[in-house]
Amino acid sequence: MPDSELASESRGESGALDFEPISRETVSSQIRAQLLRRIITGELAPGARMPSERELAEQFRVARTSVREAMQGLLSLGVVERRGNRSFVAEHLPDVVVDQPDGRKDFVAQLFETRRVLEVPIFALAAVRADDSARAQVTDLADRFHANLDISDFRRLDREFHTTVASACGNPLLIELYGKVLDRLFRSEEFDALLSDEQNRSEVRRIVSDAAAAHESIALAFATGDIEEMERCTRDHVGAVAQAMVDDLI
Amino acid sequence: MPDSELASESRGESGALDFEPISRETVSSQIRAQLLRRIITGELAPGARMPSERELAEQFRVARTSVREAMQGLLSLGVVERRGNRSFVAEHLPDVVVDQPDGRKDFVAQLFETRRVLEVPIFALAAVRADDSARAQVTDLADRFHANLDISDFRRLDREFHTTVASACGNPLLIELYGKVLDRLFRSEEFDALLSDEQNRSEVRRIVSDAAAAHESIALAFATGDIEEMERCTRDHVGAVAQAMVDDLI
DNA sequence: ACAAATGGTCTGACCGTCTGACCGTGCTAG
DNA sequence: CTAGCACGGTCAGACGGTCAGACCATTTGT
């Protein structure tokens, strides 16, 4: 191999610049992966009914054939079962798939660890960077919490509150990641279970009123741009909810 | 819409769990993107000869048809020219391709803010939770950095180092989010530009050797489980790289 | 002048995907 | 009880992206 170039662009080493490998992810494999993840995390709970193929096709904006192919994969993995005309998540997931032994408590712990890692600095940043209208909006939102709020209203409001504060931090990437965490939290069985515990209404009521108070403090720190107070309040709030959720799981 | 569920699995809101969009990146579009990046960063310098289509096809492990399709794109963008039997990078790149309006500095700032938010606590957790084999592995990895490492080797090693440390934190969700951030960083043109700046080799060399030293310190703190030191080193390291990248952009 | 390298063009095949249709079955509202 | 409907199962046809070749014309380098 003659190296006859005289000028400019010798590559130095072997002359070959190396490229990233070309990825060939197929549509159905992506769908399979996404569904599998929802199943493993319990968002699609064992025994629950799967969305219909047509529905999935519409949501993914993809042909039903592709969804079916993905389903075949899950079927043969044993994580999805067909009964009659319906598809269900398998009652007992094969061990091959599920390799997290005592998932639930760990899962909740991880969720809140992640939330703490993100939420405290994000809220702190937001407290510094928010404009006046955002501050007013958050104060307003915090005022709408009552101790005796309907559960589903509380959930909606709770989520809106956190999202609103976060979006004042001015960093779209952080907001996106934080959104993913909130998504998993609000979709998780465990969070559902915590708030819709029929046996323990008084406990639920306490959680709601505590959260209302915490949001009030956060909103205050937010309105005044007090960063240390913001960090303290947020940390306490996340810690308290995490504690309640872990207790609920025992 | 009646809320007739009494027990378990009410999904709360609209009942529809929403999925990530399915990506449909074609082989040729990926090739086009990779070539374009090499051209913009100057790795493929203006006026330099392009590798032959057959050669590219072999490197990408792809049919020549796909390479040609990518080339057509670059050709019509005006960043590649055919002269006689040869392809060359255009002498003067069309402005359309070269300049991102202004978002660049913001983008980099946001990327590193996010990285700092995640990386510092993740590395701290990892320092506490890692097992012996992970500690040994990280020490080993840090030792493989030299001041005069090949750029592409450095990138690979750099990424592996960060990924390896992070995966010792024991929280899959955190690892996943951190992975997304690293992805964006390593895929970004800006990072590419920083490390493959042909005009400024000495600066690049300084960055590489600084990073090598920083990784050494991090590995040490990691090996001994010194959490405060770990936080300090990580914060400094991220800050330094961020600074270098912002400087490069001016 | 000649051989090698390169781009241009074409072909046949394969696969993943889309579209749209039709079938049988089981659930459910009238 | 029955008709309608939602669902999974299946099929046929088309299309685009990709691959592996082959062949040609031209340029390049010796």
Side-chain angles (χ1 to χ4, degrees), chain B residues 137-155:
Chain B
Q137 194 184 351
V138 166
T139 305
D140 191 53
L141 266 174
D143 285 341
R144 283 166 53 196
F145 284 90
H146 309 89
N148 48 1
L149 211 53
D150 176 50
I151 286 297
S152 68
D153 285 345
F154 171 76
R155 286 184 58 149

Side-chain angles (χ1 to χ4, degrees), chain B residues 58-73:
Chain B
E58 193 179 352
Q59 288 220 7
F60 280 116
R61 312 177 131 271
V62 126
R64 185 156 76 104
T65 346
S66 305
V67 173
R68 300 205 84 240
E69 195 163 328
M71 288 291 242
Q72 288 305 330

Side-chain angles (χ1 to χ4, degrees), chain B residues 110-125:
Chain B
Q110 287 163 7
L111 200 51
F112 274 93
E113 181 171 278
T114 307
R115 181 173 162 193
R116 183 170 47 75
V117 164
L118 279 173
E119 187 167 306
V120 174
I122 287 179
F123 278 29
L125 287 173

Side-chain angles (χ1 to χ4, degrees), chain A residues 95-150:
Chain A
D95 314 346
V96 205
V97 174
V98 87
D99 62 354
Q100 282 127 312
D102 57 343
R104 287 165 59 92
K105 261 186 81 171
D106 281 357
F107 173 69
V108 171
Q110 287 163 6
L111 200 49
F112 275 93
E113 181 172 276
T114 307
R115 183 174 160 192
R116 182 170 48 74
V117 164
L118 280 175
E119 187 167 308
V120 173
I122 287 180
F123 278 29
L125 287 172
V128 177
R129 295 179 185 165
D131 57 21
D132 289 347
S133 93
R135 293 184 204 275
Q137 194 184 353
V138 166
T139 305
D140 191 53
L141 266 173
D143 285 341
R144 285 164 54 196
F145 284 91
H146 310 88
N148 47 2
L149 213 51
D150 177 49

Side-chain angles (χ1 to χ4, degrees), chain B:
Chain B
M1 183 176 284
D3 55 331
S4 52
E5 333 88 331
L6 16 117
S8 54
E9 58 22 317
S10 85
R11 214 12 344 104
E13 45 279 72
S14 71
L17 49 187
D18 48 6
F19 296 97
E20 313 271 334
I22 300 301
S23 93
R24 295 165 191 280
E25 269 196 313
T26 80
V27 170
S28 41
S29 79
Q30 294 179 61
I31 295 176
R32 174 163 29 83
Q34 284 205 40
L35 291 177
L36 185 56
R37 243 193 6 190
R38 297 301 206 284
I39 291 172
I40 289 179
T41 63
E43 250 173 294
L44 286 167
R49 180 145 163 221
M50 292 284 290
S52 79
E53 296 179 351
R54 289 177 172 85
E55 193 179 335
L56 286 173
E58 193 179 352
Q59 288 220 7
F60 280 116
R61 312 177 131 271
V62 126
R64 185 156 76 104
T65 346
S66 305
V67 173
R68 300 205 84 240
E69 195 163 328
M71 288 291 242
Q72 288 305 330
L74 299 178
L75 226 31
S76 67
L77 272 183
V79 298
V80 167
E81 292 166 357
R82 308 235 115 124
R83 292 203 289 271
N85 266 352
R86 301 282 138 91
S87 314
F88 297 84
V89 180
E91 297 286 354
H92 305 289
L93 303 184
D95 311 346
V96 208
V97 176
V98 169
D99 46 27
Q100 259 76 335
D102 169 56
R104 290 166 56 96
K105 264 186 79 170
D106 283 356
F107 172 70
V108 171
Q110 287 163 7
L111 200 51
F112 274 93
E113 181 171 278
T114 307
R115 181 173 162 193
R116 183 170 47 75
V117 164
L118 279 173
E119 187 167 306
V120 174
I122 287 179
F123 278 29
L125 287 173
V128 178
R129 295 180 186 164
D131 57 22
D132 289 347
S133 93
R135 292 184 205 274
Q137 194 184 351
V138 166
T139 305
D140 191 53
L141 266 174
D143 285 341
R144 283 166 53 196
F145 284 90
H146 309 89
N148 48 1
L149 211 53
D150 176 50
I151 286 297
S152 68
D153 285 345
F154 171 76
R155 286 184 58 149
R156 242 189 303 282
L157 207 52
D158 188 31
R159 174 148 200 183
E160 189 181 351
F161 180 80
H162 286 92
T163 306
T164 306
V165 175
S167 60
C169 85
N171 184 333
L173 180 52
L174 273 177
I175 294 172
E176 181 188 329
L177 296 182
Y178 181 61
K180 282 188 195 295
V181 175
L182 283 190
D183 243 28
R184 301 228 187 156
L185 176 61
F186 279 85
R187 276 199 212 296
S188 72
E189 293 176 28
E190 288 80 2
F191 191 68
D192 243 20
L194 176 66
L195 287 184
S196 49
D197 191 339
E198 305 288 340
Q199 271 69 46
N200 212 341
R201 289 196 162 280
S202 69
E203 176 66 8
V204 172
R205 187 154 307 262
R206 198 183 60 73
I207 291 172
V208 171
S209 77
D210 282 1
H215 291 166
E216 203 64 62
S217 317
I218 289 176
L220 183 61
F222 188 70
T224 58
D226 183 342
I227 182 169
E228 277 90 12
E229 180 67 3
M230 189 65 165
E231 284 180 345
R232 204 182 57 72
C233 291
T234 307
R235 199 182 333 264
D236 289 352
H237 177 43
V238 176
V241 181
Q243 191 57 51
M245 206 141 149
V246 169
D247 287 351
D248 188 64
L249 276 180
I250 294 177

